[in-house]
């Protein structure tokens, strides 16, 4: 991976070199990116589609990568922005959300029942995090799952470090409330 | 107080992310999209390859098959085992009005269009100097 980090990206770079970089990025990070995207969109098929688009976008923007950031940070930033664009899009707001509402109609509640049956400690924590509002879910995931420093998270989300600290604390409180509620 | 998120990583790995992996099919789809994207831009093709094609049709119009034979004789191996790409490029050159075509007996015959003639003439005038300016001309055309 060092090889990839030290790489100088130039305008004149050969096409197959660029292709190789994308291949390497996919080998190294595609599962992580897919997981990140999933925490934003909560749907497997959509997450896979978006991840695909993200790597294509990286290829197109590779000449804009400057080495002030690591390529990993750069990749995560593109991914995070792409997901937020999607969640703001007309398609998501009109089509996906109305489909989602259908899921909550009682006749379709079978899935929910299954979820309750397999409600282990792991499931409870995961569901609680997945149900946090986006701005908390995002920082919690990056910090605890991706094990990123606050500085890195700040670069990816362009949110300042103190705000991230506040959000992490607030997220803990929200989680505590939730667990108390359930007990 | 214990950090409630301490076990998040292992919890998510055991639950939502258990079977969530970016498949090889998905990776291939990305590679495919990248390749298609490259080929649709004329400046991503080698100048020498383009010139070889223009030269092959400068005196008489030819169909794709005969162009490929001529390229092979000139030792232009870009399309070896990759014949399909030649047709992609021919199509692109036609869209940019560098080549023009005629259908004769169910075969498409290509010849130089006015832009193509101009490029070829410019290129031949002064090969060493003109390589760059030709590249610019073609890039302009691709805008």
């Amino acid at each position: 991976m060092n090889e990839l980090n030290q790489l100088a990206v130039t305008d004149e770079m050969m096409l197959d070199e660029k292709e190789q970089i994308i291949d390497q990025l996919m080998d190294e990070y595609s599962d992580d990116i897919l997981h990140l995207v999933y925490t934003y969109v909560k749907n497997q098929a959509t997450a896979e589609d978006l991840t695909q688009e993200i790597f294509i976008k990286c290829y197109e923007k590779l000449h804009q990568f400057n080495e002030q950031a690591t390529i990993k940070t750069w990749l995560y930033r593109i991914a995070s922005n792409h997901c937020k664009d999607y969640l703001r899009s007309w398609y998501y707001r009109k089509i996906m959300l109305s489909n989602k509402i259908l899921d909550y109609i009682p006749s379709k509640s079978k899935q929910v029942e299954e979820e309750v049956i397999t409600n282990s400690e792991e499931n409870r924590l995961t569901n609680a995090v997945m149900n946090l509002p986006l701005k908390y879910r995002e920082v919690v995931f990056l910090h605890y799952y991706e094990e990123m420093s606050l500085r890195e998270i700040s670069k990816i989300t362009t949110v300042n470090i103190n705000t991230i600290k506040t959000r992490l604390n607030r997220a803990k409180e929200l989680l505590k409330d939730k667990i108390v509620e359930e007990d | 107080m214990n950090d409630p998120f301490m076990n998040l990583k292992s919890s998510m790995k055991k639950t939502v992310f258990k079977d969530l992996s970016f498949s090889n099919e998905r990776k291939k789809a990305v590679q495919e999209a990248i390749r298609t994207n490259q080929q649709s831009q004329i400046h991503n093709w080698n100048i020498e390859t383009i010139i070889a094609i223009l030269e092959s049709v400068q005196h008489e119009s030819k169909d794709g098959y005969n162009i490929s034979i001529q390229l092979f004789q000139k030792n232009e191996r870009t399309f070896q085992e990759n014949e399909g790409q030649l047709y992609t490029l021919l199509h692109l050159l036609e869209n940019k009005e560098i080549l023009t075509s005629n259908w004769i007996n169910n075969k498409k015959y290509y010849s130089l269009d006015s832009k193509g003639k101009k490029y070829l003439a410019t290129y031949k005038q002064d090969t060493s100097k003109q390589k760059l300016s030709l590249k610019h001309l073609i890039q302009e055309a691709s805008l």
Side-chain angles (χ1 to χ4, degrees):
Chain A
M1 212 46 211
N2 277 337
E3 205 186 311
L4 197 55
N5 282 331
Q6 285 163 10
L7 200 125
V9 182
T10 65
D11 284 349
E12 298 296 313
M13 200 159 57
M14 292 299 293
L15 289 171
D16 42 347
E17 270 181 276
K18 280 169 71 181
E19 245 183 280
Q20 275 171 22
I21 293 172
I22 300 302
D23 284 353
Q24 267 176 289
L25 284 176
M26 283 199 290
D27 285 341
E28 190 80 14
Y29 296 119
S30 60
D31 282 350
D32 286 334
I33 293 294
L34 181 63
H35 296 168
L36 173 72
V37 175
Y38 185 87
T39 57
Y40 281 103
V41 302
K42 307 183 191 181
N43 175 297
Q44 183 171 346
T46 309
E48 288 177 353
D49 287 348
L50 291 180
T51 303
Q52 215 170 296
E53 289 164 21
I54 285 161
F55 283 106
I56 296 169
K57 208 169 189 178
C58 281
Y59 172 82
E60 286 162 0
K61 287 179 176 261
L62 201 53
H63 64 280
Q64 291 172 10
F65 169 66
N66 61 34
E67 274 141 280
Q68 281 170 1
T70 64
I71 199 149
K72 184 183 175 188
T73 308
W74 181 77
L75 171 65
Y76 272 72
R77 194 167 161 169
I78 288 181
S80 156
N81 286 334
H82 195 73
C83 293
K84 288 174 189 166
D85 286 345
Y86 170 79
L87 294 173
R88 276 193 293 258
S89 69
W90 180 89
Y91 175 78
Y92 177 74
R93 285 183 293 129
K94 302 290 185 227
I95 315 263
M96 290 304 278
L97 277 182
S98 51
N99 287 348
K100 237 185 191 171
I101 290 163
L102 289 180
D103 288 346
Y104 289 107
I105 292 174
S107 64
K108 278 202 165 187
S109 64
K110 215 177 162 190
Q111 283 174 324
V112 180
E113 274 169 9
E114 275 169 34
E115 265 172 38
V116 174
I117 292 165
T118 56
N119 206 349
S120 60
E121 198 53 50
E122 282 109 11
N123 264 306
R124 277 171 65 178
L125 179 58
T126 303
N127 288 338
V129 169
M130 289 303 285
N131 286 320
L132 286 172
L134 180 61
K135 64 178 179 180
Y136 304 115
R137 199 191 324 143
E138 176 183 51
V139 289
V140 166
F141 179 81
L142 290 173
H143 193 55
Y144 290 93
Y145 186 84
E146 298 288 353
E147 297 173 328
M148 285 180 174
S149 68
L150 300 186
R151 236 173 81 91
E152 257 179 307
I153 298 174
S154 167
K155 279 185 186 160
I156 290 166
T157 56
T158 62
V159 170
N160 96 34
I161 292 189
N162 285 326
T163 312
I164 294 171
K165 276 187 203 159
T166 315
R167 285 185 186 172
L168 285 174
N169 283 330
R170 180 82 188 106
K172 281 176 203 165
E173 286 165 21
L174 286 171
L175 194 80
K176 236 172 40 192
D177 294 348
K178 187 137 207 175
I179 287 169
V180 171
E181 223 174 79
E182 280 176 15
D183 290 342
Chain B
M1 183 195 111
N2 272 345
D3 191 331
F5 297 123
M6 210 169 59
N7 297 323
L8 182 64
K9 189 166 186 167
S10 63
S11 298
M12 288 186 108
K13 281 192 166 165
K14 280 183 205 155
T15 56
V16 273
F17 297 154
K18 204 170 143 229
D19 301 307
L20 194 61
S21 178
F22 198 61
S23 66
N24 283 330
E25 286 72 35
R26 290 283 185 170
K27 288 181 189 169
K28 278 195 191 119
V30 171
Q31 290 162 342
E32 196 60 39
I34 286 175
R35 240 160 256 157
T36 313
N37 170 304
Q38 284 171 5
Q39 288 169 6
S40 67
Q41 285 170 330
I42 208 158
H43 62 263
N44 287 338
W45 291 91
N46 208 328
I47 287 287
E48 282 74 23
T49 309
I50 294 173
I51 291 299
I53 291 176
L54 299 190
E55 279 176 346
S56 73
V57 297
Q58 67 176 329
H59 299 302
E60 50 174 347
S61 58
K62 287 194 175 70
D63 63 356
Y65 177 70
N66 281 308
I67 293 174
S68 78
I69 288 181
Q70 185 129 6
L71 292 180
F72 186 75
Q73 286 166 351
K74 284 187 179 174
N75 228 3
E76 169 60 63
R77 301 292 170 92
T78 310
F79 306 109
Q80 205 172 355
E81 290 168 28
N82 226 335
E83 299 265 315
Q85 281 195 28
L86 172 62
Y87 292 90
T88 311
L89 179 54
L90 287 173
H91 194 73
L92 187 62
L93 291 169
E94 194 183 355
N95 281 338
K96 303 292 178 198
E97 296 173 346
I98 293 166
L99 292 179
T100 180
S101 69
N102 267 317
W103 287 93
I104 303 168
N105 295 333
N106 284 330
K107 278 183 190 166
K108 201 173 183 181
Y109 284 79
Y110 292 92
S111 53
L112 293 181
D113 208 339
S114 56
K115 252 190 218 167
K117 283 177 191 155
K118 204 167 87 188
Y119 294 155
L120 198 56
T122 319
Y123 185 82
K124 281 185 172 171
Q125 256 177 33
D126 183 350
T127 319
S128 59
K129 242 189 197 173
Q130 297 301 331
K131 262 187 194 170
L132 267 176
S133 77
L134 180 80
K135 200 164 186 176
H136 285 136
L137 271 176
I138 290 185
Q139 272 172 359
E140 265 171 42
S142 67
L143 290 176

